[in-house]
Amino acid sequence: MLSLERVKRSLESAGQSHVLQFWSELSEEDREGFLQELSQLDLDGLKEHCEGATRAAASPSASLDQNIEPVPPEFIGSVRRSDRKSLSEWENEGLLQISENRVGVLLLAGGQGTRLGVQYPKGMYNVGLPSGKTLYQIQAERIHNIQELAGRKHGSKCTVPWYIMTSEFTLAPTEKFFKENNYFGLEPSNIVMFEQRMIPAVTFDGKVILQGKGKIAMAPDGNGGLYKALVDNKVLEDMKKRGVEYLHVYCVDNILVKMADPVFIGFCVNKGADCGAKVVEKACPAEPVGVVCRVQGVAQVVEYSEIQPETAELREPGGELVYSAGNICNHFFTRAFLQDVAEKFEAQLKQHVAIKKVPFVDTCGNPVKPTKPNGIKMEKFVFDVFPFSRSFVVFEVIRGDEFSPLKNADGAATDSPTTARNSLLAQHCRWATAAGATLLDEDGNALPPTTSVSAGNNPPAQCEISPLVSYFGEGLEPLLKGRTLPTPFILDEKRAKELQAQ
């Protein structure tokens, strides 16, 4: 821990001496805690951080229309457009790599569920499925099954380690939740949790915000804080020790995420890529998602605010959007590429500005909850490493099968617990009917396939299939073909054994 004098000098030279204005009012215990917190800050870089935040907030986002172009087709694979033979080859390649313990998954889980109206990590959220499963449980069970599928195919026992990046807010509750749930049946030593850095929130005139008399307002450094955190916590060393060469990186809030997707991994490995992005076709030109494209020949994600509407609306001769590759925070990286980024490029990552309402104490030390934005939080984004890739590829998937994020509380038009739940149930209805089952409503009437897959705003039938029974719809025909299933219907391992025995 640094001495008070050292901290004072550093704060003064950064123009932040107000941080200690309430020092004389703090108890001995609070002083020690505050000094500990200040010692962990990058005090030497504090001046640049605060000045950089005000500069970035004052700069309008530039339009990139002059310099952008779509990713060339030879670097794109697609569930819809690629031929079945290629898709099958890529899946086999992915399963082979998984069976040889060369694949890990890396979860970005530093954010709380504030927009959902909860104060705990999003992964602990229960969207109201018949089974009551949380996002963490669904994801853990998908890892379990993909290990089984790859192991069975290649006659090996294999492991897909799960790396989970948390923050100061989410680490302790996540650890506790996993422990209480017996790690959802996974081996605890194969779940590696680590913490990303926290950085100070800053006022519009470049002053560090005090959240309390002895507490700075801190925020995680964005999901692009991953690259520093991998080094800080020696995670890259752990990957190397385990023989992990390929990482599937994703965000916690996508209920449909295919953990360690063998098709995506196999495609990237087959193409010799060091970096890959899964995308979905944009729903409409104005959909507020980033677009994966090229800027001056270099791969990157361009935010929707950086493209003019007339560019966003450009269409191919066949009617599809030219800039249709919507970014869904679902990526492939080689470990070697992550090592390169950590060692050579991390300092060059772009800083993004988030203008937020940040609780603070006024000059008298009274807590204030602002009603309008009063602070700047700086973030790095995980996808800002794309320009450093030597071999970048894109893999397009179907939104209804692989992307339904949970961001907003119920009542919102999109990305709510209801939309996430309906997406998963609709997918499972499609799987059940494709396997030859007939679903019945609560009155015993057969549901036509269109109803069972959620037409329009109608909720789908209550049909839920455990990831332990089927990873992505495979293996269901022997269980369900020709069967009539009253809903709600939950196909878990126990029910699957009963159906097998019939």
Side-chain angles (χ1 to χ4, degrees):
M1 192 160 72
L2 299 177
S3 70
L4 178 60
E5 286 313 308
R6 165 76 209 282
V7 168
K8 265 184 184 169
R9 281 198 306 275
S10 298
L11 289 172
E12 275 165 23
S13 66
Q16 305 294 331
S17 47
H18 69 285
V19 167
L20 294 174
Q21 63 185 303
F22 299 110
W23 184 261
S24 61
E25 300 176 36
L26 299 178
S27 68
E28 205 53 53
E29 188 184 341
D30 288 344
R31 285 180 181 185
E32 193 176 327
F34 196 23
L35 197 56
Q36 181 77 44
E37 180 184 45
L38 292 168
S39 298
Q40 287 169 353
L41 280 185
D42 176 12
L43 291 169
D44 295 333
L46 190 58
K47 188 172 193 286
E48 176 49 38
H49 169 70
C50 295
E51 289 175 356
T54 51
R55 273 197 311 273
S59 310
S61 64
S63 171
L64 299 171
D65 295 53
Q66 310 299 313
N67 302 312
I68 76 169
E69 59 183 356
V71 174
E74 61 267 31
F75 299 106
I76 300 174
S78 171
V79 167
R80 290 187 307 147
R81 296 187 186 91
S82 298
D83 60 87
R84 282 175 182 269
K85 183 171 177 286
S86 296
L87 289 167
S88 178
E89 282 173 6
W90 296 334
E91 182 174 36
N92 288 335
E93 178 65 44
L95 288 169
L96 175 65
Q97 297 297 337
I98 291 166
S99 77
E100 293 179 345
N101 300 306
R102 291 159 67 83
V103 176
V105 289
L106 201 162
L107 164 59
L108 306 172
Q112 292 167 291
T114 317
R115 273 163 66 187
L116 274 172
V118 298
Q119 292 305 309
Y120 51 79
K122 269 190 194 177
M124 290 163 56
Y125 196 86
N126 168 3
V127 299
L129 291 168
S131 67
K133 287 177 184 176
T134 60
L135 296 179
Y136 279 147
Q137 182 170 356
I138 293 165
Q139 292 168 19
E141 291 180 352
R142 285 184 188 139
I143 290 175
H144 193 284
N145 200 343
I146 198 65
Q147 290 177 161
E148 294 287 315
L149 286 172
R152 257 201 317 274
K153 185 175 176 67
H154 291 281
S156 64
K157 184 167 174 23
C158 59
T159 296
V160 175
W162 195 5
Y163 297 95
I164 303 177
M165 184 175 80
T166 63
S167 68
E168 181 184 288
F169 302 132
T170 60
L171 178 61
T174 300
E175 284 179 330
K176 184 168 180 272
F177 190 69
F178 271 69
K179 201 170 182 183
E180 285 171 352
N181 287 279
N182 202 26
Y183 301 90
F184 305 105
L186 295 174
E187 177 57 50
S189 63
N190 295 326
I191 300 172
V192 179
M193 295 186 199
F194 61 102
E195 207 173 322
Q196 70 184 109
R197 289 187 181 191
M198 305 287 285
I199 53 175
V202 177
T203 62
F204 297 126
D205 57 356
K207 297 295 182 190
V208 167
I209 296 175
L210 281 177
Q211 184 183 311
K213 290 181 179 180
K215 176 83 179 152
I216 287 176
M218 303 286 279
D221 53 356
N223 55 29
L226 167 68
Y227 307 106
K228 250 195 170 67
L230 290 174
V231 175
D232 289 347
N233 299 282
K234 298 185 166 50
V235 177
L236 289 167
E237 290 175 26
D238 182 89
M239 291 171 180
K240 188 175 183 180
K241 210 181 293 174
R242 291 173 188 266
V244 171
E245 297 296 337
Y246 308 114
L247 278 303
H248 175 216
V249 177
Y250 71 101
C251 269
V252 70
D253 59 8
N254 179 11
I255 198 168
L256 297 179
V257 65
K258 281 179 78 179
M259 312 286 290
D261 175 11
V263 186
F264 180 41
I265 287 161
F267 166 71
C268 293
V269 171
N270 182 275
K271 296 291 180 189
D274 56 7
C275 178
K278 239 186 210 195
V279 300
V280 295
E281 186 178 12
K282 281 182 71 172
C284 64
E287 185 183 9
V289 294
V291 172
V292 180
C293 56
R294 282 184 171 185
V295 177
Q296 294 180 322
V298 176
Q300 74 176 69
V301 173
V302 173
E303 291 299 316
Y304 58 94
S305 58
E306 297 172 323
I307 306 180
Q308 296 298 323
E310 53 270 29
T311 304
E313 285 161 15
L314 290 174
R315 292 187 181 270
E316 302 281 8
E320 293 190 331
L321 292 172
V322 172
Y323 296 103
S324 65
N327 178 47
I328 59 171
C329 194
N330 196 314
H331 309 310
F332 165 93
F333 299 120
T334 63
R335 180 176 55 80
F337 177 69
L338 290 175
Q339 192 80 49
D340 258 9
V341 169
E343 289 172 4
K344 302 174 193 169
F345 304 124
E346 199 282 328
Q348 298 172 42
L349 286 185
K350 185 178 168 185
Q351 292 270 14
H352 298 263
V353 171
I355 306 296
K356 301 277 190 182
K357 288 185 245 183
V358 183
F360 66 99
V361 290
D362 62 19
T363 49
C364 301
N366 301 312
V368 179
K369 269 200 167 180
T371 53
K372 59 183 183 182
N374 64 315
I376 306 162
K377 290 182 178 178
M378 299 299 287
E379 301 174 314
K380 290 178 177 176
F381 292 160
V382 69
F383 55 70
D384 282 329
V385 297
F386 292 177
F388 307 121
S389 167
R390 293 185 190 90
S391 177
F392 178 79
V393 294
V394 169
F395 192 68
E396 187 204 26
V397 295
I398 295 163
R399 185 185 294 247
D401 284 336
E402 295 203 37
F403 185 57
S404 184
L406 175 64
K407 296 187 183 298
N408 306 311
D410 262 331
T414 58
D415 304 344
S416 69
T418 296
T419 60
R421 178 177 68 249
N422 285 351
S423 296
L424 189 72
L425 293 174
Q427 181 186 59
H428 291 183
C429 288
R430 291 194 296 275
W431 291 356
T433 52
T438 301
L439 298 170
L440 303 180
D441 65 17
E442 288 171 4
D443 298 320
N445 302 312
L447 289 164
T450 48
T451 310
S452 65
V453 299
S454 185
N457 293 321
N458 299 326
Q462 297 280 302
C463 171
E464 183 184 353
I465 297 168
S466 167
L468 296 171
V469 174
S470 184
Y471 171 77
F472 197 64
E474 79 295 328
L476 295 175
E477 206 169 297
L479 299 173
L480 301 181
K481 191 173 184 180
R483 293 189 185 273
T484 302
L485 307 173
T487 57
F489 173 73
I490 300 177
L491 183 59
D492 56 18
E493 284 185 296
K494 184 178 174 213
R495 188 84 177 93
K497 279 179 184 156
E498 289 168 358
L499 291 172
Q500 268 173 335
Q502 286 173 14

